Amino acid sequence: MKRLVVYALLLALLLSGCGPQLSPDEAQESIQVIAMDTAMLITTYGERSPAAAYACEDVIRDLESKLSRTDPDSEVSRLNNAGGEAVEVGEDLYILLHEAACLSAETAGAFDLTIAPVVSAWGFAGGEEYRVPSQEELDRLLELVDYNAVYNRYITPPDPPRAAIGPGQAIDLGGVAKGYAADKIVEVLREHEVPRANINLGGNVLAYGDRPDGAPWRVGIQDPARVGEQNAFAGVLELTDSFAVTSGGYQRYFEQDGKRYHHIIDPSTGYPADSGLTSVTVVAPAELEGCLNGTMCDAYSTALFIMGEEKALDFWRDRSAGAFELVLVTEDGRVVVTEGLADRFTLDESSGYTLEVASS
Ligand code: AMP
Ligand code: MG
């Protein structure tokens, strides 16, 4: 475990009567966590910032142990290996199965929690070699991809909660796990009375409260065309109390015979999505209690990346105004932001993209 204490306890200075007069808010803890296949950075503020930051880490590690597909002892692995029988599941997996099945239905199966066998065939589940499966193999595996089976077999509480999937089916929650972790982290921050925090779960940002200077948090949108460069952004979003979740083919891929294959699979073909988009960022409010907006943003970012620009914008228009907003980066050099973000997004001029605003 790598914990990096960057800056802490300016309060001590304050209490000893010397040094600048700082508000208790200025106490800050920053830790790096390597989990869920990514480097994460958790920065919390306020008097209880160290306890809050480590409680956030606990949430992430606990969820990873329950949801990992590579850990044979995880709850997800037990469900995937149950041969269609019902198994007991804990509260988190129970909630997440329900959410993920609903989000699969809502996105008409662009996001599909039962995509696991196809993701594994490409080697993206971890543990296997990357490879390009034959069309025959993909066709056979795609028959197992059907979120309705989970929906129908879902077994309601009371206790103990149980769930089942169809024989041969397997679930992959990699497209929503970090978003759900961000939702749980909001609860932790509230419990610890943290005034502000910046939580980066690798492409999955929670801008909680505002910055210590009262300005909004600045969240850079990675330029998918310049992944090797540091701080190469398509643009910057100014956000308070928001989730901003990005999906892009550049985040995980392999190359074979000069072709690039990435990890976001289009369930209608079994192949990596090829929709003309290079990244999708979904932004939604984080201050609404009891609302799993982090999970929603995560599923939507994956689904809308697969749908492509036109369908993604239709999806946004069909839903109530302001519930979420989008930043789409296209293969042909444009950044499209939905109108609710127009005054919160600044294009990085050095990126060479042109900016368009989509209206409802
Ligand atoms: P994200 O980075 O949130 O877009 O999630 C990508 C991850 O979600 C992949 O690494 C897979 O584990 C999983 N995944 C890939 N394609 C799909 C899909 N069509 N529906 C649901 N999950 C997917
Ligand atoms: Mg996602």
Side-chain angles (χ1 to χ4, degrees):
M1 184 187 340
K2 190 174 175 193
R3 291 177 168 182
L4 226 168
V5 179
V6 176
Y7 187 57
L9 291 180
L10 276 169
L11 258 184
L13 268 181
L14 202 147
L15 293 173
S16 69
C18 55
Q21 292 293 301
L22 295 168
S23 98
D25 257 19
E26 303 283 330
Q28 178 189 334
E29 181 78 28
S30 204
I31 60 173
Q32 197 183 40
V33 177
I34 310 292
M36 298 182 174
D37 255 347
T38 24
M40 305 176 168
L41 188 62
I42 295 168
T43 305
T44 52
Y45 292 77
E47 287 177 72
R48 296 168 68 193
S49 49
Y54 291 116
C56 293
E57 177 179 2
D58 290 344
V59 163
I60 293 162
R61 296 205 183 279
D62 177 55
L63 282 176
E64 185 176 38
S65 74
K66 290 170 178 164
L67 306 179
S68 165
R69 280 182 68 202
T70 47
D71 174 358
D73 295 326
S74 75
E75 286 184 30
V76 162
S77 294
R78 281 197 280 118
L79 180 61
N80 284 347
N81 296 328
E85 296 295 315
V87 298
E88 270 184 41
V89 293
E91 192 187 350
D92 284 316
L93 181 54
Y94 189 81
I95 292 172
L96 201 43
L97 279 175
H98 179 70
E99 278 305 302
C102 289
L103 289 159
S104 300
E106 207 190 328
T107 60
F111 177 89
D112 191 319
L113 79 165
T114 64
I115 194 75
V118 185
V119 170
S120 295
W122 285 94
F124 286 119
E128 309 105 346
E129 295 273 300
Y130 290 134
R131 67 189 185 89
V132 180
S134 68
Q135 193 60 54
E136 195 188 4
E137 180 181 359
L138 288 174
D139 289 344
R140 186 168 47 78
L141 294 174
L142 281 170
E143 284 176 21
L144 298 166
V145 178
D146 178 11
Y147 61 86
N148 284 304
V150 178
Y151 226 39
N152 298 337
R153 290 163 160 267
Y154 199 62
I155 296 163
T156 48
D159 54 307
R162 293 188 302 153
I165 53 180
Q169 280 196 309
I171 56 163
D172 181 337
L173 296 171
V176 279
K178 286 186 272 174
Y180 183 67
D183 280 318
K184 293 200 78 174
I185 282 173
V186 170
E187 284 174 31
V188 167
L189 298 175
R190 279 209 189 100
E191 280 161 22
H192 286 76
E193 294 170 351
V194 166
R196 52 179 55 85
N198 191 301
I199 311 290
N200 190 329
L201 307 182
N204 230 296
V205 174
L206 165 61
Y208 187 80
D210 53 9
R211 277 194 336 197
D213 64 1
W217 292 106
R218 289 169 59 79
V219 179
I221 306 291
Q222 171 73 47
D223 179 356
R226 295 182 294 162
V227 175
E229 290 172 48
Q230 267 211 326
N231 297 332
F233 299 125
V236 175
L237 281 168
E238 296 201 338
L239 299 174
T240 49
D241 282 318
S242 300
F243 298 104
V245 179
T246 302
S247 286
Y250 65 87
Q251 290 169 335
R252 198 159 173 206
Y253 61 86
F254 68 94
E255 280 174 12
Q256 188 174 305
D257 302 329
K259 271 200 80 172
R260 186 179 280 199
Y261 300 94
H262 65 72
H263 67 139
I264 303 178
I265 305 298
D266 183 344
S268 69
T269 62
Y271 261 70
D274 183 17
S275 67
L277 294 176
T278 52
S279 84
V280 172
T281 301
V282 183
V283 177
E287 79 271 21
L288 308 171
E289 248 183 292
C291 204
L292 293 178
N293 268 1
T295 310
M296 175 193 81
C297 286
D298 205 350
Y300 282 2
S301 69
T302 309
L304 272 52
F305 179 83
I306 294 166
M307 288 182 197
E309 178 180 353
E310 204 175 315
K311 282 191 186 158
L313 290 175
D314 285 346
F315 186 87
W316 170 73
R317 288 190 183 100
D318 285 347
R319 272 147 190 85
S320 60
F324 66 95
E325 302 290 339
L326 303 174
V327 180
L328 311 178
V329 185
T330 71
E331 244 164 39
D332 61 6
R334 291 171 299 121
V335 177
V336 182
V337 299
T338 53
E339 59 189 1
L341 286 181
D343 57 3
R344 291 188 274 161
F345 181 83
T346 309
L347 191 74
D348 185 321
E349 295 301 338
S350 69
S351 68
Y353 291 110
T354 53
L355 181 61
E356 291 177 11
V357 176
S359 49
S360 48

